[in-house]
Amino acid sequence: MKRLWIGILVLAVTLAAGLGLWRCADRFCGGISRTLEDSAAMAQQARWDEANALTDQARAQWEQYRDFFAAFTDHEPVEEVGSLFRQLEIYAACRDACGYATTCVQLSSLADAIREAHGMQWWTVL
């Protein structure tokens, strides 16, 4: 009987950890995605100060949780986010609105993909 309760406890802890990861990824990646979409819109309107401020905000959020996502997600998207943020710096320096907006949308899509990869679907619970 003791083993049964230990097994139930292990399953409950695993489920709670999965729910916590899903909630964190959903809240965090959704916020970054919206911020980057707003930044792309500002760049297309040639409002560079606001676009750079939004991008800096998204980068700061990403850097805060980058190690967490590197530990619990696939490393390739995490590394790609870093390289895309570096590309944004180049587009901002050149004032290339099209390249800047495109890269912001790519980053937003990548954040959404990370969020969806760790979303709670019935097959991930099983």
Side-chain angles (χ1 to χ4, degrees):
M1 191 69 167
K2 187 181 201 181
R3 292 181 192 159
L4 172 70
W5 288 112
I6 292 172
I8 290 173
L9 179 66
V10 167
L11 286 174
V13 167
T14 304
L15 180 62
L19 288 171
L21 178 61
W22 165 69
R23 180 70 178 134
C24 180
D26 186 54
R27 186 170 28 121
F28 172 71
C29 290
I32 285 181
S33 179
R34 284 186 298 276
T35 303
L36 288 167
E37 288 171 0
D38 292 343
S39 179
M42 294 297 161
Q44 289 176 332
Q45 297 171 6
R47 295 165 61 183
W48 288 103
D49 291 336
E50 290 137 346
N52 286 331
L54 288 170
T55 302
D56 290 342
Q57 178 185 351
R59 181 182 295 122
Q61 289 174 338
W62 176 257
E63 290 298 324
Q64 183 178 2
Y65 290 99
R66 182 176 48 104
D67 293 336
F68 173 77
F69 279 105
F72 291 105
T73 63
D74 186 20
H75 291 281
E76 189 174 328
V78 173
E79 292 169 3
E80 188 174 347
V81 168
S83 68
L84 288 173
F85 271 123
R86 285 187 291 279
Q87 284 181 8
L88 279 178
E89 294 172 6
I90 295 168
Y91 289 129
C94 297
R95 300 286 194 217
D96 181 5
C98 183
Y100 192 92
T102 301
T103 306
C104 282
V105 170
Q106 287 176 335
L107 276 165
S108 176
S109 297
L110 194 57
D112 285 339
I114 291 171
R115 183 182 73 200
E116 289 172 7
H118 296 284
M120 194 60 81
Q121 289 92 15
W122 65 270
W123 57 85
T124 59
V125 175
L126 296 177

